[in-house]
Amino acid sequence: MKNKLLASLVLAALLASPPAATADDDDYIYCVYKEFSHLDEDERRAFYTAVFLGDYSFTIGYTNDFRAYLDQEYDFNGIEEYCFFENDSPAASRALKRAMEDDERSDLYDGGVIMTNWAPDSFSKQPLQDFNISIRGESADLKICVRDHECEDGDKVRVSVDDLRIFSGEIDNDWDCSRVEVDAGRKYAIELHAVNGSGRKGNCSYADVNTGEIRIEGATTETQSWRHRGGAGSRARIVVESR
């Protein structure tokens, strides 16, 4: 009887205990970069991100972007990076606070324990949509132009129409245009590939996001923006009709 009662109590305790945190694509994450241990104590610093919602399996991308931010904003000598997660925001905020307090008490970072409030950009893909373009006559040239409509950070793209490459390289804030001959009544495939996420150029965020604007001119004109991760892209149609 005692054994049964003990087993029941143990089972009840297990059921009542909160589940251990497990990483998924809905994690509350914070990261820290710490400077080289061989530096003098008064030179060492620890840099913390804010708590952000993300996927813990993508921490390499988060720490790369955070490192790029620190390289730009601070005279940074760090190499040791760590990321941690909790399953809800309050728990992550408490853990972050404890970690910073522990570093401050340790006397290892007399150069400072710094809250940067950095967090990765939230990313939402913005692919190309179909273009419906009119031309005058049965055939004509379309003018296809691309540019970086945000911070000029060295984004590179490739653009092709029916597998004919019409642009390849870095985009600037100024339009770069090419011409393609088309026939009325036809549909053409246009494909845009983001060669990189960011060229890390200029006074930009350096987030791993390739952004730009594309304009197609015939008798009518359509303009769209794109937003892709490096190495990704989108494909759409150019539907041509006679005017």
Side-chain angles (χ1 to χ4, degrees):
M1 176 67 93
K2 285 184 178 180
N3 288 340
K4 287 184 178 179
L5 179 59
L6 180 59
S8 298
L9 290 173
V10 170
L11 178 60
L14 289 172
L15 292 174
S17 299
T22 56
D24 56 26
D25 58 359
D26 236 4
D27 306 310
Y28 290 87
I29 301 168
Y30 67 92
C31 301
V32 56
Y33 250 111
K34 298 185 175 182
E35 291 191 303
F36 298 129
S37 58
H38 68 262
L39 293 174
D40 292 337
E41 288 181 3
D42 61 350
E43 295 179 328
R44 296 181 206 145
R45 296 169 294 179
F47 296 89
Y48 281 83
T49 70
V51 171
F52 57 90
L53 184 63
D55 184 340
Y56 192 71
S57 63
F58 293 159
T59 52
I60 292 177
Y62 300 145
T63 53
N64 285 346
D65 288 347
F66 186 37
R67 173 63 189 255
Y69 167 81
L70 294 175
D71 285 342
Q72 183 181 18
E73 298 296 325
Y74 299 88
D75 183 13
F76 182 59
N77 295 299
I79 194 171
E80 299 172 356
E81 79 276 4
Y82 311 93
C83 289
F84 306 91
F85 76 93
E86 299 289 343
N87 287 341
D88 62 71
S89 182
S93 296
R94 290 192 297 269
L96 170 59
K97 182 180 178 181
R98 287 194 301 269
M100 293 184 68
E101 290 173 346
D102 288 345
D103 282 344
E104 288 167 349
R105 285 193 295 267
S106 72
D107 294 330
L108 291 174
Y109 304 101
D110 288 348
V113 178
I114 301 165
M115 165 50 72
T116 66
N117 288 314
W118 180 90
D121 289 342
S122 58
F123 177 77
S124 56
K125 183 179 178 181
Q126 190 172 348
L128 296 183
Q129 306 295 321
D130 288 351
F131 294 86
N132 294 290
I133 300 293
S134 297
I135 59 174
R136 291 185 175 91
E138 293 304 310
S139 64
D141 285 346
L142 292 184
K143 188 177 179 182
I144 302 178
C145 307
V146 291
R147 71 177 185 124
D148 193 334
H149 69 316
E150 296 186 358
C151 187
E152 194 175 283
D153 56 355
D155 290 346
K156 295 180 181 180
V157 297
R158 291 196 303 267
V159 181
S160 61
V161 175
D162 277 1
D163 296 325
L164 172 66
R165 186 172 298 179
I166 62 169
F167 180 87
S168 180
E170 183 178 324
I171 52 175
D172 303 318
N173 290 148
D174 295 328
W175 290 104
D176 195 313
C177 301
S178 298
R179 292 188 178 275
V180 177
E181 185 175 344
V182 295
D183 297 324
R186 280 199 53 190
K187 297 176 183 178
Y188 297 83
I190 181 167
E191 185 169 8
L192 184 144
H193 177 75
V195 176
N196 63 353
S198 170
R200 305 190 183 280
K201 171 184 173 183
N203 187 24
C204 305
S205 70
Y206 301 154
D208 181 28
V209 182
N210 186 303
T211 57
E213 190 173 22
I214 183 168
R215 185 179 71 206
I216 300 183
E217 301 178 17
T220 55
T221 299
E222 284 194 22
T223 302
Q224 295 181 25
S225 299
W226 75 79
R227 180 179 170 88
H228 294 304
R229 290 295 194 200
S234 55
R235 188 178 179 93
R237 295 182 302 172
I238 303 173
V239 181
V240 181
E241 60 181 29
S242 178
R243 193 169 192 176

